[in-house]
Amino acid sequence: MFVVTGATGNVGRALVRTLHEAGEQVTAVARRITAADAPQGVRTVAADLTDPATLGPALRGARAAFLMVPPVLAPETDAAVMAAVKAAGVRRLVVLTSQSAATRPESPGHGLRVRHFEDQAKAGGLGWTVIRPGGFASNAYAWAETVRARREVFAPFADVPLPVVHPDDIAEVGAAALRDTAHDGRTYVLTGPELITPRQMAAALGDALGEELAFTELTRAEARARMLAYMPEAVADGTLDILGEPTAEEQKISPDVERVLGRAPRSFATWARQNAAAFGLSAVRPPAAP
């Protein structure tokens, strides 16, 4: 049986579905979760990594667990999480952190936080795989309200490109690592197949919706004010640093999705077509012929 934390999120939901469709027994775990949040036949348990005392029932009977490390997890909590994992008899961990663990190891809202958890997991005496994605394609959901209301995208750093990754690719790599011990001891950096700017992402989304979207570039200060409504200050500042001044490594296209899955990663345009309904239109253009 496999345990998936963060099971109601963009990666966790896809990972639960992938494992379930492969015939695996799965426990879907999130802070707030009901049976309606998972496929029929999947066990659901409410638990929270930031409160390790809640993890025991969720982890019971698992041979491997997928841990999505939240940036709000306090360093002093890491040891308690690992103790709960060991007490439950879990033998292997797949840990989802961030590319920033390597590219910005001293960033308090990104690298420093997740790197500490990675180190704890690696030193815990269990099998482990670390997955470090770059920016998610699904971060474009932040544009949904203004696209629905005004057919307009607001974003900073309009022409700075990054290789954003499709959450389903992260989930499929996670499923492979959970099911196959050949991935033990490996760290995978996951990106999309191409560099793409926010302006180009808005154009791809407009193409998926069948109409042109306006694009307004925000200043860093304007973007920060919006981000602080749903993320901690340190995380907002670190995210803006990556978006505005990415390192060469953060702009590098990683081969790891293809290395693990045997195919190229999905593009942002694919994500846009698959999720166009969230932006208020049901009519979606078919993909262009290759």
Side-chain angles (χ1 to χ4, degrees):
M1 191 265 288
F2 299 111
V3 167
V4 177
T5 66
T8 57
N10 292 308
V11 174
R13 192 182 296 273
L15 176 54
V16 169
R17 182 183 66 245
T18 299
L19 291 170
H20 178 67
E21 290 175 352
E24 303 289 1
Q25 288 184 297
V26 187
T27 294
V29 178
R31 187 177 306 170
R32 289 178 293 275
I33 192 168
T34 68
D37 293 315
Q40 186 175 5
V42 170
R43 175 176 172 248
T44 57
V45 178
D48 186 352
L49 258 65
T50 65
D51 184 4
T54 66
L55 295 176
L59 294 168
R60 192 172 299 123
R63 62 182 170 125
F66 178 87
L67 301 184
M68 182 172 179
V69 182
V72 296
L73 192 66
E76 58 270 20
T77 307
D78 293 354
V81 171
M82 291 303 302
V85 166
K86 291 182 180 180
V90 176
R91 298 192 294 275
R92 298 176 52 247
L93 290 177
V94 177
V95 179
L96 179 65
T97 61
S98 168
Q99 184 183 24
S100 302
T103 61
R104 298 176 187 262
E106 301 306 316
S107 170
H110 287 72
L112 189 65
R113 179 64 219 94
V114 297
R115 187 62 175 261
H116 187 269
F117 191 93
E118 287 184 6
D119 292 344
Q120 292 279 312
K122 292 176 182 180
L126 306 176
W128 58 267
T129 305
V130 169
I131 296 175
R132 295 173 173 170
F136 288 17
S138 54
N139 289 343
Y141 279 136
W143 302 340
E145 183 177 349
T146 59
V147 170
R148 287 193 296 263
R150 302 171 52 172
R151 297 295 181 261
E152 188 167 8
V153 168
F154 293 82
F157 312 119
D159 299 306
V160 179
L162 286 164
V164 297
V165 60
H166 196 306
D168 285 3
D169 286 340
I170 303 171
E172 290 182 27
V173 170
L178 284 168
R179 300 179 73 201
D180 189 346
T181 58
H183 300 285
D184 283 5
R186 297 181 182 272
T187 297
Y188 296 122
V189 175
L190 306 187
T191 71
E194 60 191 352
L195 287 166
I196 186 168
T197 68
R199 195 187 305 275
Q200 290 168 331
M201 291 166 67
L205 180 58
D207 188 60
L209 294 171
E211 60 181 284
E212 187 174 353
L213 302 179
F215 186 94
T216 297
E217 184 171 15
L218 299 175
T219 67
R220 179 182 175 116
E222 290 169 337
R224 185 177 189 272
R226 293 180 179 220
M227 294 165 72
L228 290 178
Y230 56 88
M231 66 175 61
E233 185 174 1
V235 177
D237 288 336
T239 300
L240 289 165
D241 290 342
I242 295 168
L243 295 176
E245 298 183 38
T247 67
E249 193 66 22
E250 287 163 346
Q251 291 185 304
K252 181 180 177 181
I253 296 167
S254 169
D256 286 349
V257 169
E258 186 162 6
R259 183 175 290 150
V260 175
L261 301 180
R263 59 160 179 80
R266 297 171 173 94
S267 67
F268 178 81
T270 296
W271 182 90
R273 289 193 297 268
Q274 291 171 336
N275 295 279
F279 295 84
L281 293 177
S282 58
V284 181
R285 286 184 179 180

